[in-house]
């Protein structure tokens, strides 16, 4: 299974895209039936004749695959011998045990093409120089993908790694990158550092940021509070992205900022409700993916756990493909708190909007009767009784319920956010039974 690197169908008609995907789907089913222990067993157990699966609509006749399947039967998803594996990546383990994803040489080429297309979508060019403010080790697929995709464009790369605002700014001022790739909350910390150290950020060479790992937009595509904080202080263009290790594919915004563009030659995507039925445009559904062109560990109807909305009208940029909103929340992270349904992203947006709060970690746990409780660990800018009163009043007004609040020092919040083996800051801790 090889992946062409010279053609993309994102401007084709929907009929042409569907025909292409259905052809690739039949190739995938034959490949899984021959090489995947997990899917061969699934087809047999459900009396599925893959010859009967011809259209995208026929996919609903196949049961979905979930994260627990990958966690408990990881090796059974491998379709090649270990001698063909070039790279082992893993998930971050945010929602349980990490999952290993094995990639062949063809998969690495596909990954490169994916990010090449993504950075081109985000107005990348050979004239750019990207400063990568993220880990390139620890089995982190995204770091590898960004690096190889930018190389394919022919742009310059500065592999600096995460954290250390002083080093980031020293490098920006010395090497003059045109773009950064970073977690949005870290971009905000860069701004804070620049303000404290009298660095004129708007005279820097950085004109755009590829935002990874966190939302910068609401579901209506407007900038959320974190996105506004960044752009109010720094005159740069923000591009939102959404991806996961399992799908080996990214949804990336174009310059119009109206959702992450689907790459249909790499992925079939469904958004499903609680009954595994496709939702309508603009309605929330669980992102469910079928990988195309993956050789090592292809996935069929894999439920990511991420809740998004989609839009299917053509974009102003001319691309005709489906677009995904920012993540509304992760299915397993939904909080039922005193009669209120809450997802971490909306809670983060609220906390980011409070000028009294410098940083935070939200913790959820089960109380003695099995109900969800929320504890907020808050690093205040300057703790006073008045500050405490404002924070608690704002939480009550916006949430209509009062979570528990504790105030912590800088070193405490750092230990909570950055685990020893972690690749990104953890702002949500789930201790529920």
């Amino acid at each position: 299974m090889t992946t062409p690197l010279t053609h993309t169908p994102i401007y084709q008609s929907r009929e042409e895209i569907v025909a292409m995907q259905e052809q690739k789907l039949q190739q995938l089913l034959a490949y899984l039936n021959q090489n995947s222990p997990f899917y061969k067993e699934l087809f047999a157990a459900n009396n599925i004749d893959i010859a009967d699966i011809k259209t995208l609509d026929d996919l609903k006749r196949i049961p979905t695959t979930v994260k627990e399947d990958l966690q408990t039967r990881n090796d059974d998803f491998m379709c090649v011998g270990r001698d063909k594996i070039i790279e082992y990546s893993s998930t971050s383990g945010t929602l349980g045990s990490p999952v290993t994803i094995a990639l062949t040489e063809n998969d690495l080429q596909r990954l490169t093409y994916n990010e090449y297309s993504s950075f081109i979508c985000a107005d990348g060019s050979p004239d750019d120089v990207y400063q990568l403010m993220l880990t390139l080790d620890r089995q982190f697929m995204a770091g590898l993908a960004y690096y190889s995709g930018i190389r394919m464009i022919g742009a310059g790369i500065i592999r600096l790694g995460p954290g250390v605002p002083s080093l980031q700014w020293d490098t920006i001022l010395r090497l003059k990158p045109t773009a950064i790739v970073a977690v949005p909350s870290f971009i905000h910390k860069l701004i804070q550092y620049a303000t404290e150290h009298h660095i004129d950020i708007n005279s820097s060479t950085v004109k755009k940021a590829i935002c990874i790992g966190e939302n910068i937009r609401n579901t209506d595509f407007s900038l959320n509070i974190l996105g506004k904080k960044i752009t109010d202080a720094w005159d740069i263009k923000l591009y939102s992205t959404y991806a996961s290790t399992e799908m080996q594919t990214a949804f990336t915004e174009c310059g119009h900022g109206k959702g992450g563009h689907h790459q249909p030659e790499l992925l079939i995507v469904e958004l499903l409700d609680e009954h595994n039925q496709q939702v309508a445009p603009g309605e929330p559904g669980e992102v469910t993916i079928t990988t195309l062109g993956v050789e090592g560990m292809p996935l069929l109807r894999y439920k990511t756990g991420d809740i998004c909305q989609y839009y299917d009208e053509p974009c102003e940029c001319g691309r005709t493909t489906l677009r995904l909103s920012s993540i509304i929340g992760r299915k397993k992270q939904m909080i039922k708190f005193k009669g209120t349904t809450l997802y971490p992203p909306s809670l983060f947006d609220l906390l980011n909007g409070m000028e009294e709060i410098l940083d935070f970690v939200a913790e959820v746990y089960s109380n003695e009767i099995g109900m969800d409780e929320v504890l907020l660990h808050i690093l205040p800018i300057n703790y006073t009784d008045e500050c405490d009163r404002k924070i608690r009043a704002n939480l009550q007004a916006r949430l209509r319920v009062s979570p528990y609040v504790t105030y912590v020092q800088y070193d405490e919040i750092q230990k909570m956010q950055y685990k020893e083996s972690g690749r990104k800051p953890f702002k949500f801790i789930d201790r529920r039974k």
Side-chain angles (χ1 to χ4, degrees), residues 102-313:
L103 295 91
T104 66
E105 180 60 39
N106 283 338
D107 293 337
L108 290 175
Q109 291 181 24
R110 177 188 178 280
L111 194 64
T112 297
Y113 168 72
N114 158 67
E115 285 302 337
Y116 164 81
S117 298
S118 295
F119 278 93
I120 291 294
C121 185
D123 299 324
S125 80
D127 296 328
D128 281 313
V129 176
Y130 289 88
Q131 187 159 316
L132 301 184
M133 301 179 176
L134 51 100
T135 185
L136 291 170
D137 54 11
R138 300 184 183 182
Q139 294 183 269
F140 187 36
M141 181 184 287
L144 173 70
Y146 301 143
Y147 178 79
S148 58
I150 293 169
R151 280 196 63 188
M152 189 176 182
I153 291 174
I157 306 171
I158 303 169
R159 294 182 294 109
L160 200 59
V164 198
S166 59
L167 180 58
Q168 300 288 354
W169 273 115
D170 177 69
T171 306
I172 289 172
L173 298 174
R174 183 166 48 88
L175 297 182
K176 297 179 170 48
T178 61
I180 60 175
V181 182
V183 176
S185 57
F186 182 69
I187 299 175
H188 186 241
K189 288 181 180 179
L190 284 179
I191 294 170
Q192 291 175 325
Y193 180 90
T195 301
E196 292 167 3
H197 292 82
H198 310 292
I199 297 171
D200 182 3
I201 58 178
N202 287 311
S203 67
S204 78
T205 54
V206 176
K207 301 304 177 188
K208 56 190 173 186
I210 310 300
C211 297
I212 64 172
E214 294 175 347
N215 287 350
I216 57 166
R217 297 193 189 277
N218 302 306
T219 54
D220 65 357
F221 308 129
S222 61
L223 288 172
N224 64 14
I225 290 172
L226 180 56
K228 287 178 181 176
K229 278 188 172 183
I230 294 170
T231 54
D232 284 349
W234 198 351
D235 184 20
I236 56 174
K237 183 85 170 177
L238 302 184
Y239 297 86
S240 182
T241 66
Y242 163 65
S244 72
T245 302
E246 298 95 320
M247 70 172 70
Q248 303 179 47
T249 313
F251 291 78
T252 304
E253 284 184 341
C254 68
H256 293 280
K258 295 294 178 69
H261 282 280
H262 175 211
Q263 300 189 63
E265 70 273 40
L266 301 181
L267 207 68
I268 295 170
V269 61
E270 306 169 81
L271 276 85
L272 303 180
D273 64 16
E274 292 289 334
H275 306 288
N276 288 337
Q277 297 298 309
Q278 175 69 41
V279 302
E283 294 182 2
E286 184 172 1
V287 179
T288 303
I289 56 95
T290 295
T291 56
L292 300 174
V294 171
E295 186 176 47
M297 291 184 65
L299 295 175
L300 179 63
R301 301 202 81 203
Y302 175 73
K303 301 180 77 171
T304 64
D306 295 328
I307 308 299
C308 292
Q309 297 172 359
Y310 77 97
Y311 303 86
D312 59 1
E313 69 274 9

